[in-house]
Amino acid sequence: MSALPQTVPLVVKSISVCRNTCSPMIGELQFLRGWQLGSPEVSFGGLSTLIATVRDGKTHLLSASDKGHWFSFEIPADSGAQSTMQIGQMGPIKDASGRPVQGDMVDAEGLAQGPDGELFVSFEDRQRLWSFSQGVLAPATDLGVSDALDNSCTSGSHLGMEAIAMVNSSHLLGICEAGPLGEVSLMPMLLINVTTKATRASWEQHGYFAASRNGFQPVDAARLPDPAPPSPGLTRTYLGGLLVLEREYVPLVGTNVRISHLGAETWDASTHGGVFRSRVLAELDTHMHTVDNFEGMAVVRDATQPDKVRIYLISNDKMIRAKERTLLYEFIMADATTTTDVSADPTPTGGAPAAGAQLAGQAGSAPAGQ
């Protein structure tokens, strides 16, 4: 990835996920490390997306902010109770003409990376999906699905397609934070063929049903690496498919977040209008854990234990630093038997709202633009 043009000083301090004392095992995930990030740079913050790559033995994170900037940095070293300094890089997200985005075009909310390194960014306010095939310094290409997003997600609000991830080499899955009328019981989900962007970006619509209870909304997604063979002596391997980051805000209480799983077999077996159900792996509860406005999630294979993955969460301070912080958490996913209890079902059952029936058969394509 090309270096971003602006160097940004970071102030990094280690923090714990526990408010007081708690187990490092949170559901099926193990908490490893946490940091609070800050900077004297006024444009730093608003980090709502995250992807991770490993280069030269180091984990690098890239985020697109809801203020129209790219931001990249390495995983911090442990700093204990003392604050340390680190350097990050920053630069503007550019539109199709090569100009920095501005006004109602800045609100980047989802970030995914294709197998060839191509980046995809979803935006709220002016809903759209852009690709960056030549890297973060290059102009964007509009994939031409804005009408589909306006018809599927809540248009003109902060409830657009926040959670996006590649499900294979050709298709990107995007989940709306809420439906077109603001409903959150069954969130519309688009499966977009991003390889057709030179002519027409094709898509089909499904539904995402958050597991266990309503109130949680999807804010990011990340594809798990393909399941690796188990280590010597082990007969299990970690889950394949997608992880979905979900957030719940409870007035006068705070924010809860959880990480759920969608099995790879879910979309392979799905038909148009299918309802995808998730299974909860871990939940951060504001009464027990240090929770902020987590909106970004990245997944990368563990370098020393290839049958495990590391999961990174980042919170969005919304540029209101007196109330919210930029937190970065690192988890590791323990070994787990691949499951098949999450399945696509064109006819919603088991408590899923009947609204899923309205999704059946919805598909289309739209001209791709610059």
Side-chain angles (χ1 to χ4, degrees):
M1 185 185 73
S2 302
L4 292 164
Q6 181 182 352
T7 297
V8 178
L10 289 178
V11 181
V12 181
K13 183 178 181 179
S14 295
I15 64 169
S16 172
V17 72
C18 302
R19 280 189 174 273
N20 295 299
T21 59
C22 66
S23 170
M25 288 302 301
I26 303 175
E28 298 180 30
L29 307 183
Q30 180 183 352
F31 176 78
L32 296 181
R33 299 179 292 177
W35 304 269
Q36 180 174 339
L37 309 179
S39 177
E41 167 58 49
V42 295
S43 297
F44 172 79
L47 305 181
S48 51
T49 67
L50 201 64
I51 59 172
T53 56
V54 177
R55 301 192 304 272
D56 302 323
K58 297 180 179 180
T59 301
H60 299 260
L61 298 177
L62 175 68
S63 179
S65 82
D66 54 19
K67 298 301 180 183
H69 296 98
W70 299 106
F71 181 72
S72 67
F73 62 106
E74 292 180 4
I75 290 295
D78 289 322
S79 61
Q82 302 299 315
S83 296
T84 60
M85 296 298 296
Q86 184 173 320
I87 298 298
Q89 291 78 40
M90 195 173 188
I93 299 173
K94 297 178 182 178
D95 62 18
S97 65
R99 294 188 297 265
V101 292
Q102 55 185 335
D104 61 0
M105 301 287 282
V106 302
D107 194 1
E109 292 291 344
L111 176 63
Q113 187 171 34
D116 58 355
E118 183 173 14
L119 298 170
F120 300 91
V121 181
S122 63
F123 294 82
E124 289 183 333
D125 287 344
R126 291 275 294 276
Q127 295 194 91
R128 62 203 186 279
L129 179 65
W130 283 0
S131 71
F132 297 84
S133 59
Q134 303 301 315
V136 293
L137 301 181
T141 297
D142 193 324
L143 297 190
V145 295
S146 294
D147 287 345
L149 296 178
D150 284 340
N151 291 331
S152 301
C153 308
T154 302
S155 180
S157 72
H158 293 281
L159 297 172
M161 191 171 71
E162 291 204 11
I164 65 173
M166 297 295 295
V167 297
N168 53 39
S169 61
S170 60
H171 284 77
L172 179 144
L173 184 144
I175 311 174
C176 302
E177 194 176 357
L181 300 179
E183 63 270 19
V184 296
S185 55
L186 182 70
M187 279 69 77
M189 181 171 68
L190 296 180
L191 192 62
I192 302 169
N193 185 345
V194 296
T195 63
T196 61
K197 60 180 178 291
T199 53
R200 299 177 70 84
S202 59
W203 55 274
E204 59 186 54
Q205 186 167 326
H206 302 270
Y208 177 79
F209 183 63
S212 301
R213 61 189 172 97
N214 295 331
F216 282 88
Q217 297 169 265
V219 292
D220 205 2
R223 181 185 177 183
L224 288 164
D226 293 331
S231 300
L234 293 179
T235 58
R236 299 179 297 171
T237 186
Y238 61 78
L239 303 169
L242 289 184
L243 296 183
V244 181
L245 177 63
E246 301 170 349
R247 180 187 60 204
E248 174 193 48
Y249 175 70
V250 181
L252 304 180
V253 176
T255 301
N256 302 313
V257 297
R258 66 187 186 188
I259 298 173
S260 296
H261 175 251
L262 282 176
E265 71 281 354
T266 307
W267 54 79
D268 289 341
S270 179
T271 58
H272 292 329
V275 174
F276 292 59
R277 291 183 176 85
S278 63
R279 182 175 72 86
V280 177
L281 299 181
E283 182 172 337
L284 299 180
D285 187 295
T286 191
H287 294 100
M288 183 183 302
H289 303 113
T290 304
V291 187
D292 217 293
N293 183 32
F294 284 100
E295 289 195 358
M297 176 174 62
V299 172
V300 68
R301 191 187 298 277
D302 187 85
T304 60
Q305 304 173 87
D307 56 349
K308 297 182 180 180
V309 294
R310 292 183 184 250
I311 301 165
Y312 298 95
L313 304 184
I314 198 163
S315 66
N316 185 344
D317 65 0
K318 296 293 185 185
M319 310 298 285
I320 310 174
R321 297 174 186 174
K323 295 183 178 180
E324 297 182 327
R325 299 168 292 174
T326 299
L327 303 183
L328 177 68
Y329 283 172
E330 181 182 38
F331 298 86
I332 194 164
M333 183 184 290
D335 299 312
T337 304
T338 301
T339 62
T340 56
D341 63 343
V342 180
S343 60
D345 182 1
T347 305
T349 58
Q358 300 172 5
L359 301 176
Q362 293 189 23
S365 61
Q370 292 293 321

